[in-house]
Amino acid sequence: MFFRSLALLSTVAALFSSNIAVSAYPTTSGKVWRVTVGNATGGTIFNPNYINASPGDRVEFTFNPKNHSVTQSSFANPCTHLNNGFDAGFHPVANASSWDLPTFSITVNDTKPVWVYCRQAENTAGSHCGKGMVFGLNPGAEGSNNSFSLFQQAALKIGQQLVASASSASVASTASATHTTIQAAASSSKSSSWSDHYDSWNHEDDDDDSWSYDDDDSYDNDHKWRRDY
């Protein structure tokens, strides 16, 4: 556990914001807030999904199955890593009953809002953030213009857009493949029909009179017959 924590500390040591501090073993006399990341069945949730902490408090994130991150974002861009914001990285967990679940902690320095998301499947239809997997530290009160509800709604809207975009791309790909198949089938059918007609429209009588097809080198079905004497 000691070496796991040291490795985690090394990945985030340079990532600070004005109102939080990242450390493996913070020394604080404040309250410890425990937040689960995901759940035993791999759910896309933080529990609780927001808290109101005081300066000196510590927030400890515990990772559950299957594979999630704790990544700082912004209210304006809930599913995008904030420049110079913290990122705990991905922590795959196979079994939620393990006694040694990985953790990640931040210490609160003031009461400014901090916004967090899981960046698993980022920018795809399977985006965890797009499914509402976001967290708020000291968000605005409900009804304010920076409430947790508005933050989560913005994340869900991004998810809907990603799903719609993926669906449109799939439909376009299917339509293109179908169009190509139809064109190929039509071309094959036309070629076969022309050959059949051409073969059947030539005829010779026993008295040496002949019927022949006047080929005008077109496929517009404007066929002409001529009898030769």
Side-chain angles (χ1 to χ4, degrees):
M1 184 67 178
F2 176 74
F3 292 106
R4 181 197 297 274
S5 298
L6 285 181
L8 178 59
L9 176 59
S10 67
T11 63
V12 298
L15 300 177
F16 295 96
S17 69
S18 62
N19 54 325
I20 57 117
V22 180
S23 61
Y25 287 111
T27 56
T28 175
S29 58
K31 179 177 179 178
V32 178
W33 299 82
R34 291 182 169 83
V35 179
T36 58
V37 185
N39 59 20
T41 59
T44 52
I45 61 171
F46 286 91
N47 185 29
N49 53 16
Y50 74 90
I51 61 173
N52 292 294
S54 301
D57 288 355
R58 177 162 60 96
V59 184
E60 182 181 277
F61 297 91
T62 301
F63 292 89
N64 282 260
K66 299 178 180 177
N67 191 0
H68 303 291
S69 80
V70 172
T71 306
Q72 187 176 4
S73 65
S74 64
F75 186 85
N77 297 289
C79 298
T80 301
H81 184 199
L82 179 67
N83 206 22
N84 295 322
F86 61 77
D87 181 11
F90 291 113
H91 291 270
V93 177
N95 189 349
S97 63
S98 171
W99 63 271
D100 191 26
L101 293 173
T103 62
F104 173 77
S105 296
I106 61 175
T107 299
V108 181
N109 290 336
D110 56 42
T111 58
K112 293 179 182 178
V114 175
W115 308 104
V116 175
Y117 75 109
C118 174
R119 63 181 177 88
Q120 183 63 258
E122 192 170 26
N123 298 321
T124 73
S127 166
H128 285 197
C129 181
K131 295 178 181 179
M133 191 172 182
V134 293
F135 172 82
L137 170 60
N138 294 328
E142 287 304 307
S144 66
N145 59 6
N146 67 338
S147 68
F148 175 78
S149 293
L150 290 179
F151 177 65
Q152 189 173 50
Q153 287 171 19
L156 289 168
K157 184 176 181 180
I158 290 172
Q160 292 169 358
Q161 292 170 343
L162 289 170
V163 170
S165 178
S167 178
S168 296
S170 177
V171 169
S173 177
T174 301
S176 176
T178 301
H179 180 67
T180 300
T181 301
I182 290 175
Q183 279 188 321
S187 176
S188 175
S189 175
K190 181 178 290 185
S191 175
S192 175
S193 176
W194 173 261
S195 177
D196 290 345
H197 289 170
Y198 188 87
D199 290 344
S200 64
W201 291 344
N202 284 276
H203 173 71
E204 292 187 2
D205 295 330
D206 293 338
D207 60 0
D208 203 28
D209 293 336
S210 64
W211 289 91
S212 64
Y213 178 67
D214 188 6
D215 182 5
D216 62 359
D217 293 327
S218 70
Y219 290 97
D220 62 2
N221 294 322
D222 184 16
H223 306 313
K224 301 178 178 63
W225 289 87
R226 182 181 68 245
R227 187 169 186 178
D228 299 322
Y229 293 95

